[in-house]
Amino acid sequence: MSKIVVVEDEPAIAELIAINLKHAGHEVTLAGTAEQARFEIDGELPDLVVLDWMLPGQSGLALARQWRSDVRTRELPIIMLTARGEEGDKIAGLDAGADDYLAKPFSTNELMARIRAVLRRKAPQALDEAVEVAGLKLDPVTHRVSHGGVELRLGPTEFRLLHFMMAHPERVHSRSQLLDKVWGDHVFIEERTVDVHVKRLREALAPAQCAWMIDTVRGAGYRLTRNAGSLLT
Ligand code: CA
């Protein structure tokens, strides 16, 4: 399940989007102004923001620019909505850092499809889709992990950690990035907590002989690899 913030000042449109998102299994927070949106996002980073361009006070465009210039929100997936369909607006929206852009009136089916596409690209762990890397399978719906027919037992934190790493295979994640993405940002946990859970994750993967997939990158962090050979280089 993913957390989505909808920033839209027209209550009828905001409600329509919220109903469709909830129906698709997302958790939705509504914000009617840029100020409210900032407040929500300062509190907790969502998986995606649907951002209306025309808002009372600060515009959605200015807000998107602001988020893109801040390290904490630089990668936040943003889909921009606008009443204006001109190409120049679209370019301005994308230049401000939106990942996608939709002109009103839009079909809710199209919005849902674009949300899935942006999440798949930028935050695949936020989708309830099963993932498989080198024979290791994880299903977020049934909470099952298996490899070659061997069911593996993982604790909840190890499950989230593996899900995130499988959604971004071969990429190196620092301990602080893993804390942000797996434990949630704004949590005050020591970085060595990550090491403890990585150790537990390897132990959980050991019965299927795939503990090696969790690779320690000295001085950088951890990655999930599908290629045992990469450990030798
Ligand atoms: Ca508006």
Side-chain angles (χ1 to χ4, degrees), residues 131-138 146-149 166 210 213 226:
V131 279
E132 178 173 353
V133 178
L136 183 63
K137 294 177 187 170
L138 179 146
S146 66
H147 185 278
M166 287 180 76
C210 47
M213 291 177 77
R226 53 170 75 81

Side-chain angles (χ1 to χ4, degrees), residues 10 12 19 30 35 39 57 60 72 75-76 90 113 120 128 132 141-142 150 153 162 167 169 173 197 201 225:
E10 289 158 72
I19 287 167
L30 296 178
E35 193 180 18
F39 176 79
R72 181 170 168 261
E75 297 293 323
L76 181 63
K90 181 171 181 173
R120 196 168 290 129
D128 278 344
E132 178 173 353
V141 177
T142 60
V150 180
R153 299 177 65 86
L162 181 63
H173 310 284
H197 287 277
L201 175 57
T225 182

Side-chain angles (χ1 to χ4, degrees), residues 1-3 25-26 45-48 75-77 115-131 138-141 143 159-169 171 173 177-178 180-184:
M1 187 177 62
S2 51
K3 289 177 186 143
H26 302 289
L45 267 184
D47 295 300
L48 183 140
E75 297 293 323
L76 181 63
I115 286 172
R116 279 196 303 277
V118 170
L119 285 176
R120 196 168 290 129
R121 183 155 50 88
K122 291 191 81 178
Q125 75 285 357
L127 292 169
D128 278 344
E129 293 176 352
V131 279
L138 179 146
D139 188 336
V141 177
H143 254 254
F159 185 90
R160 287 202 309 277
L161 181 61
L162 181 63
H163 191 190
F164 177 75
M165 292 180 88
M166 287 180 76
H168 305 90
R171 249 190 265 170
H173 310 284
Q177 282 168 340
L178 288 171
D180 278 1
K181 304 288 184 180
V182 178
W183 279 260

Side-chain angles (χ1 to χ4, degrees), residues 8-10 51-56 58-61 80-84 104:
E8 166 64 78
D9 59 311
E10 289 158 72
L51 178 60
D52 188 29
W53 179 318
M54 302 297 282
L55 296 168
Q58 190 186 20
S59 75
L61 196 71
M80 196 123 205
L81 303 178
T82 177
R84 309 181 297 183
K104 293 178 187 171

